[in-house]
Amino acid sequence: MAPQPVTSGLNRETQLAMYHRAAKTLPGGANSNFRAWGEATIYVDRGKGARVWDIDGNEFIDLRMGYGPVILGHGDDRVDDYVNERMRRGVSFSLTSEDEVRSMELLCELTGWVDMARMTVSGTEATMHAMRVARAFTGRDKIVKFEGQYHGVHDYALISVLPSNVADLGDAENPVGLAWGRGIPAQVADTIIPARYNNIERLRALFERQGHEIAAIIVEPVLGNAQGIMPKPGFHQAMRALTEEFGILLIFDEVKTGFRFARGGAAEFFGIRPDLGTYAKAMGNGYPAAAFGGRREIMEMLPSKVSHGGTYAGNRVAAAAAVKTLEIIRDTPALETIRATGERIQAGIRQVIDAKGLAYQITGHPSMFGIMFTEQVPSEYRDWANTDHELYDAIAAGMQIRGAMPEPDSREPWFVCEAHAQGDLVDRVVSIFAESFHAALEARAHAASAG
Ligand SMILES: Cc1ncc(COP(=O)(O)O)c(C=O)c1O
């Protein structure tokens, strides 16, 4: 997210002009801080399947997939045709359509543990509402979140997220709640307690000390914003048991993992029954569909005791996209294809790096994985700082020049969609990785001998 990609070697004339035009009206020239890359900001023309084209006509194999939502491929005809057909009946009524009912039925069916759910427009709203319901249900105010985990851009989520300098998170024994950016009231930030992922002993100590004030713990089942760092074996089970012991609700933030790791998301993948879950991204193949849901007795706080609304919540476009996408995920082997494709890419990458004998770890799930240059298996966000992320960043920048687009930041995983299985895309990704890896090593050797 933070570093700017190297773009020399690509034709970027039109994009540069667009950047200067856009920067007059949109702060940073983009509609999200995460896409504002200065003069290297990318302006997209179109996407189809696993490929995207920028407005200068450069073509890339997309490994960002919009930060994860595009699970089937860009411009998927099955989803788009259905959405088009449904949207002609009208989009926004602030009345309820059958598509909304159907999409939440599918969410409950696929997860297997969610009894009731409500649609939102973004993952941000989903986590915000899940936190509120948890507070209302338990009558407690504090929420525990893990360092390095991202739950969106509302005030309660922006604590101890992704500092480039991990020292800002405070002493490892005594982490501080670090607000990301100005404008977050201290009183709000104080209700969020930062914890360290994969460290069950510290969590127990925290619950013993403050459990009576803690409504919920919200967790990305894997560290989706640190290359998908996985839980240690038994971590989720231990956390589940601990939350039950202290009457604290467990919120699985499945915005990235939902309908991706398995049909029932990370909860199914890790064999956990949380109390609440949040979903977005893969449930709509890129359309703005999102939801929060959970156990019936908690969700029944709505509508009478807890506020939730939204003019666009459950709008036709999002609901129809969710219906079709979730049906495809349920009825076709899309997720199996994605997994197998991710495994093929990983195998190719392993071969390339093994040949050079460098230490590395492939983190995450085949559908959403990262490459970290380190000997130690990473277990929390702080470990990212000890990886050779400069090497990764150089490779990512090189890949972009060669026609594949991972995020130019070593914390964001690669996302695999169903369409990556088409043609020779896997081989091309691996050979682009190999060329970029070798070029980065050569540049480093050159710099070392020159310096
Ligand atoms: C785990 C997680 N939760 C919440 C969000 C916020 O979702 P949105 O960007 O739709 O607001 C994201 C977005 O990347 C996410 O990865």
Side-chain angles (χ1 to χ4, degrees):
M1 295 170 186
Q4 293 178 12
V6 177
T7 48
S8 59
L10 289 174
N11 176 15
R12 288 193 42 85
E13 214 175 300
T14 318
Q15 290 176 90
L16 197 55
M18 183 66 87
Y19 168 70
H20 289 295
R21 174 179 155 199
K24 290 189 188 133
T25 331
L26 289 69
N31 271 319
S32 160
N33 291 1
F34 301 127
R35 307 171 208 155
W37 299 336
E39 291 196 339
T41 299
I42 295 174
Y43 294 91
V44 68
D45 175 34
R46 67 192 193 282
K48 190 68 188 164
R51 291 177 302 159
V52 282
W53 289 264
D54 65 29
I55 58 172
D56 282 294
N58 300 302
E59 177 184 327
F60 304 92
I61 302 169
D62 192 358
L63 296 167
R64 298 172 68 253
M65 303 312 298
Y67 291 137
V70 187
I71 185 90
L72 303 172
H74 296 291
D76 185 276
D77 291 332
R78 297 164 294 182
V79 179
D80 290 358
D81 288 351
Y82 184 73
V83 171
N84 271 303
E85 190 261 305
R86 301 300 288 173
M87 71 191 267
R88 285 199 198 95
R89 295 163 184 244
V91 172
S92 276
F93 303 96
S94 270
L95 297 169
T96 304
S97 74
E98 193 191 347
D99 283 312
E100 296 171 64
V101 179
R102 186 79 200 107
S103 61
M104 292 303 92
E105 285 170 351
L106 281 160
L107 186 149
C108 294
E109 182 188 337
L110 265 74
T111 57
W113 67 271
V114 172
D115 300 321
M116 300 182 97
R118 277 267 180 100
M119 289 194 82
T120 62
V121 182
S122 66
T124 293
E125 279 177 81
T127 62
M128 182 182 79
H129 286 294
M131 287 186 191
R132 181 182 298 150
V133 176
R135 286 172 159 140
F137 185 74
T138 57
R140 303 171 182 171
D141 280 346
K142 306 254 186 211
I143 304 275
V144 175
K145 87 167 276 290
F146 290 108
E147 290 179 346
Q149 298 214 324
Y150 180 71
H151 302 294
V153 285
H154 58 84
D155 289 355
Y156 293 113
L158 285 172
I159 306 299
S160 298
V161 187
L162 300 168
S164 296
N165 181 1
V166 296
D168 293 346
L169 293 169
D171 190 280
E173 299 306 311
N174 198 12
V176 297
L178 175 72
W180 193 2
R182 299 187 192 183
I184 298 169
Q187 294 86 337
V188 169
D190 286 347
T191 66
I192 305 300
I193 307 175
R196 287 172 56 202
Y197 184 69
N198 264 330
N199 195 326
I200 204 73
E201 294 75 29
R202 306 203 122 270
L203 207 56
R204 170 169 282 286
L206 171 66
F207 284 8
E208 278 169 359
R209 206 170 55 240
Q210 277 177 280
H212 60 285
E213 342 173 72
I214 299 171
I217 179 158
I218 186 165
V219 59
E220 276 188 84
V222 304
L223 254 103
N225 290 280
Q227 293 282 31
I229 291 176
M230 292 291 261
K232 289 181 184 162
F235 175 71
H236 281 308
Q237 284 72 12
M239 184 161 60
R240 176 68 282 195
L242 208 55
T243 48
E244 278 168 357
E245 186 184 330
F246 286 86
I248 292 167
L249 300 185
L250 178 62
I251 307 173
F252 256 35
D253 180 358
E254 295 243 31
V255 165
K256 269 186 170 156
T257 52
F259 315 113
R260 170 175 285 280
F261 273 41
R263 288 178 178 77
E268 178 186 320
F269 187 77
F270 293 116
I272 299 293
R273 277 183 89 86
D275 299 299
L276 288 164
T278 54
Y279 301 88
K281 305 220 172 187
M283 75 180 270
N285 197 43
Y287 289 91
F292 65 105
R295 278 170 38 208
R296 185 174 303 279
E297 59 172 330
I298 305 172
M299 290 301 290
E300 276 181 347
M301 301 291 290
L302 302 158
S304 59
K305 299 196 179 71
V306 175
S307 298
H308 165 248
T311 305
Y312 300 121
N315 71 79
R316 172 84 75 181
V317 171
V323 166
K324 190 42 102 179
T325 307
L326 293 177
E327 280 179 358
I328 292 170
I329 286 172
R330 183 190 62 183
D331 299 337
T332 76
L335 291 193
E336 286 74 18
T337 303
I338 293 167
R339 187 188 177 110
T341 307
E343 283 169 349
R344 282 172 59 211
I345 300 175
Q346 289 181 340
I349 288 171
R350 285 187 197 283
Q351 260 191 359
V352 171
I353 309 179
D354 285 343
K356 286 283 176 192
L358 249 67
Y360 69 100
Q361 309 289 336
I362 291 194
T363 51
H365 180 273
S367 67
M368 176 186 139
F369 65 90
I371 306 148
M372 284 185 161
F373 291 98
T374 173
E375 298 212 352
Q376 188 206 340
V377 178
S379 69
E380 61 170 326
Y381 181 71
R382 289 168 190 253
D383 292 338
W384 163 78
N386 300 322
T387 67
D388 187 353
H389 44 86
E390 286 86 7
L391 177 60
Y392 178 89
D393 289 343
I395 297 168
M399 288 182 73
Q400 202 176 315
I401 294 165
R402 294 175 178 85
M405 197 196 288
E407 180 78 358
D409 183 308
S410 55
R411 285 166 286 192
E412 189 68 17
W414 294 15
F415 287 97
V416 182
C417 75
E418 189 186 21
H420 280 110
Q422 291 168 5
D424 63 351
L425 292 182
V426 168
D427 294 340
R428 278 169 57 197
V429 167
V430 173
S431 65
I432 288 172
F433 174 84
E435 281 172 39
S436 309
F437 173 64
H438 294 138
L441 290 182
E442 264 170 46
R444 185 173 269 196
H446 188 69
S449 64

